[in-house]
Amino acid sequence: MMLKLSYWIDELSKWAGALGAIATMALALLIVYDASMRYIFNEGSVALQELEWHLFDILFLLGLSYALKHNKHVRVDLFYVRMSAKFKEIVQIITMIFFVIPLGLLVVWFSWDFVLQSFLQGEMSPDPGGLCCRYIIKSFVIISFILLILQAISETIKAFYRLGELK
């Protein structure tokens, strides 16, 4: 049952990664369009430039859980690579339970008011011609860290399962 939950969470992270890939393609096309307009036609848009920044933020944030799922996150491997499989699983469990999940919960907790305040105030770009609805990009902080917490739970479940197989 728990492994089934873990695989469901993995699928969710896979979809987040796919959305991040789509954001990457959109960002690349938007940058080409914006640069072409700016240098060929001497026309620029503050809204397009801000959209580029927001798409970069989205692809980075959605990539958090995807990177954790594929074990592509940053880790100092000075000692870790030399340790036994059992030790690695224990380290995985400890880091998820005592670092990743609490940190993710703190980010979600403190970001909630930040996003809500932005929504209630109808926050817009301070630049003339900029984007409206800044709460949308700010809400991706909450969404991505919820996905990261879920993926950390999934990794913990799988680590417990692998640890049980090593005994």
Side-chain angles (χ1 to χ4, degrees):
M1 163 115 169
M2 293 303 281
L3 271 179
K4 197 172 196 177
L5 173 66
S6 174
Y7 293 135
W8 180 82
I9 294 170
D10 287 349
E11 280 297 310
L12 196 59
S13 290
K14 181 178 146 187
W15 281 101
L19 285 175
I22 291 169
T24 302
M25 286 301 299
L27 176 61
L29 293 173
L30 192 59
I31 289 171
V32 167
Y33 175 77
D34 190 31
S36 299
M37 292 301 290
R38 199 173 295 274
Y39 291 109
I40 296 172
F41 301 108
N42 207 20
E43 292 288 328
S45 168
V46 174
L48 283 181
Q49 198 169 31
E50 287 185 5
L51 187 58
E52 291 169 16
W53 300 337
H54 292 335
L55 283 172
F56 179 77
D57 295 342
I58 289 170
L59 75 93
F60 170 77
L61 289 167
L62 289 176
L64 291 174
S65 61
Y66 188 80
L68 184 60
K69 176 187 181 301
H70 292 286
N71 202 22
K72 299 297 182 191
H73 51 84
V74 176
R75 175 179 28 231
V76 179
D77 283 342
L78 295 173
F79 304 109
Y80 186 80
V81 292
R82 294 185 178 96
M83 298 302 165
S84 68
K86 184 176 181 180
F87 179 80
K88 289 178 182 180
E89 298 306 332
I90 292 170
V91 167
Q92 178 83 339
I93 292 166
I94 289 171
T95 55
M96 294 302 145
I97 291 174
F98 294 108
F99 179 69
V100 178
I101 294 172
L103 177 68
L105 289 170
L106 282 172
V107 170
V108 169
W109 177 263
F110 286 111
S111 297
W112 184 260
D113 286 335
F114 186 60
V115 173
L116 184 61
Q117 182 181 24
S118 177
F119 174 74
L120 293 175
Q121 291 177 346
E123 183 182 10
M124 300 175 68
S125 172
D127 298 321
L131 296 176
C132 67
C133 309
R134 294 204 61 181
Y135 63 88
I136 294 173
I137 188 61
K138 291 179 179 184
S139 67
F140 270 94
V141 173
I142 294 173
I143 293 166
S144 66
F145 275 87
I146 288 172
L147 288 171
L148 182 65
I149 292 165
L150 289 173
Q151 190 59 47
I153 291 169
S154 173
E155 296 304 315
T156 304
I157 291 168
K158 290 185 281 193
F160 269 117
Y161 182 75
R162 288 189 299 264
L163 193 58
E165 288 181 338
L166 291 174
K167 290 184 181 181

